[in-house]
Amino acid sequence: MDSFEKIASLAKRRGFIYPGSEIYGGLAGTWDYGPLGVELKRNLKNEFWRSTVQLRDDVVGIDASIVMSPKVWEASGHLESFSDPLVECKKCHHRFRADQLDDSVCTDCGGELTAPKQFNLMVETYLGVVEGEKLKTYLRGEITQGVHVNFKNVLTSTRVKLPFGIAQIGKAFRNEITPGGFTFRSREFEQMELQFYVKPDMDESMKWFEYWKQERMNWYHSLGIKKENLHFKEHAKDELAHYARAAFDIEYRVDNVWKEMEGVHHRGDWDVKRHQEFSKEDMTYFDEETKERYLPYIIETSGGVDRATLFFLIDAYEEEKLEGGDERVVLKLHSKLAPYKAAVFPLLANKPDLVKLAKTIHDDLKRELMVTWDDRGNIGKRYRAQDEVGTPFCITVDFESLEKGDITVRDRDSMKQDRVSIKELRSYLAKKLG
Ligand code: GAP
């Protein structure tokens, strides 16, 4: 089993990620996040927001709509250039992305393939109620354009000054020819982006480009991903997207293959210039220091929330051999990402005094932290179940707890146990969780 299959199986079994519309046979390229997955993904997005918006004085956030005027996509170049080369098997009619094939025959039946033609990835939709007068538009192919069309709104409604950034997190849609690799290439997915506006000066903009490359790499490191599994890959000139002047990907290594997780792009003034041209609205920035008007350059960091979630899961997954021949599967997720920070157990489910005290502790902790409860089976099984979903701490209430007012806290990674007084439990966890 490769890493994608292992994680897909664990994700389904333990409530992280399910195939979309599964009871109807599924819908290719769509996924639903279950109770554990929604917590993990939300934690990841919160960490992005905290480091990119909350902790910075030069970045603000927005949340633009998914459906935009079709003119936006004309201006951004997506209707013309946002496409992949498609080939079709003349025999079995399966479709492939020409740039992903090593050979020029069908990988399913060996049949001959058609010549490649460009296939546009934008997902069409129709708005309005009157048949025949509905407006044909698109679900956004990238979240980026919702930021650029609001560049002037943000300038006039806040006190930002260049250089500054606008961050956004949200859904994007692409009619991918070959969705696959579990959630790696989906047709509906989330992005977390920063559009950082700077003076239109190549030297200065390249400094910011380097700065943001490093910031984004540091962010992944800070959340515990293994450093040896990350690197930068530069786009060759012929690989650059239609808007990009320079681009690097942050790639993650899965089973010895490097895969794109995030892109850092120098977009020049492409977006603001094109929106100015197509909307006829003035998109220039007035520089109070130099008294000049100009269109800013844009440095973009564009990460996939679902891809990062998937790679954090793969990176955290370990199968460990324990003393005595036992094995455990453990997700060594950073505590900031872990769906549950702690699990609370009464040693025995049929002892009302233990259950009562454990409930009190659980209800007290849940006001501050995402915690869970388990009273099934024996303690060993409960530990294994929490290891498998990455819960950093398990708290057990036993008979001594009733007498002495303390409990056992077991650490997921070291499996060591500490005896901690109930009064100090909150500060103990706060210190450990950081
Ligand atoms: N605004 C620039 C932009 O959208 P991109 O390289 O096309 O750039 C950025 O996408 C990130 O979005 C990728 O690095 C990836 O993490 C994520 N992404 C793109 N297509 C995806 C798909 N089909 N499924 C899941 N994530 C995707």
Side-chain angles (χ1 to χ4, degrees), residues 228-230 251-259 314-315:
E228 65 272 23
N229 288 339
L230 286 184
E251 292 190 323
Y252 179 79
R253 183 170 48 187
V254 191
D255 300 334
N256 279 324
V257 182
W258 292 98
K259 305 244 176 210
I314 290 176
D315 203 66

Side-chain angles (χ1 to χ4, degrees), residues 7 22 37 54 107 126 154 158 180 215 226 237-238 260 271 274 318 328 371 373 378 382 399 425:
I7 288 299
E22 195 183 12
Q54 187 182 331
T107 51
Y126 296 84
V154 173
T158 69
E215 280 292 295
K226 295 184 189 90
K237 285 272 171 282
D238 61 347
E260 176 187 340
D271 306 271
R274 293 276 291 196
E318 284 184 24
R328 69 165 182 163
V371 291
W373 170 267
N378 63 39
R382 295 182 208 162
F399 292 105
L425 179 60

Side-chain angles (χ1 to χ4, degrees), residues 142 144 174 176 183-186 189 191 193 243 260-263 265 267 300 302-304 307:
E142 60 172 10
T144 322
R174 295 183 187 175
E176 296 285 357
T183 57
F184 177 78
R185 187 170 291 103
S186 308
F189 55 96
Q191 295 183 309
E193 284 194 351
Y243 49 75
E260 176 187 340
M261 178 156 68
E262 168 151 351
H265 309 125
R267 297 179 75 108
E300 166 187 72
S302 178
R307 273 195 199 172

Side-chain angles (χ1 to χ4, degrees), residues 253-284:
R253 183 170 48 187
V254 191
D255 300 334
N256 279 324
V257 182
W258 292 98
K259 305 244 176 210
E260 176 187 340
M261 178 156 68
E262 168 151 351
V264 182
H265 309 125
H266 189 311
R267 297 179 75 108
D269 58 7
W270 168 266
D271 306 271
V272 272
K273 193 179 199 166
R274 293 276 291 196
H275 286 307
Q276 175 164 281
E277 194 182 319
F278 281 69
S279 71
K280 310 276 183 266
E281 290 286 329
D282 175 17
M283 299 293 275
T284 54

Side-chain angles (χ1 to χ4, degrees), residues 354-389:
L354 296 184
V355 173
K356 193 170 162 214
L357 180 57
K359 271 271 173 232
T360 309
I361 293 171
H362 174 267
D363 290 353
D364 179 48
L365 289 179
K366 80 180 180 193
R367 287 187 286 147
E368 303 280 326
L369 298 170
M370 196 71 199
V371 291
T372 187
W373 170 267
D374 197 357
D375 58 9
R376 301 158 308 161
N378 63 39
I379 290 289
K381 280 202 178 130
R382 295 182 208 162
Y383 283 158
R384 294 289 167 274
Q386 293 304 324
D387 287 345
E388 227 187 7
V389 299

